[in-house]
Amino acid sequence: MQYAQVFVDSGVPPAIITPEDMAPLLDGIVANIGVLLPIIFCLSAVFIGVKIVPQLLSRFTRF
């Protein structure tokens, strides 16, 4: 079965994205990663600490 391609001319030129158009977007992503990464590390450290510290305390207090 063959399909026919239909092209409609809407009069709007196709969007061409250049590297200059992408620069602000990438700058924003890099800036947000720079802010979020330390927060994520701290939260993961807290969650790991909450899980491991009670296990260590119970292991060393069993005499």
Side-chain angles (χ1 to χ4, degrees):
M1 177 180 275
Q2 293 184 355
Y3 295 100
Q5 288 186 338
V6 178
F7 294 102
V8 178
D9 185 16
S10 63
V12 179
I16 299 172
I17 299 175
T18 63
E20 291 82 19
D21 295 333
M22 295 299 291
L25 181 66
L26 292 176
D27 291 340
I29 291 172
V30 169
N32 285 329
I33 287 175
V35 169
L36 291 175
L37 211 54
I39 295 171
I40 291 170
F41 283 148
C42 290
L43 286 176
S44 63
V46 166
F47 289 139
I48 290 171
V50 166
K51 184 176 180 180
I52 292 177
V53 168
Q55 292 176 356
L56 290 174
L57 288 175
S58 67
R59 180 175 294 167
F60 290 122
T61 55
R62 279 191 259 155
F63 289 112

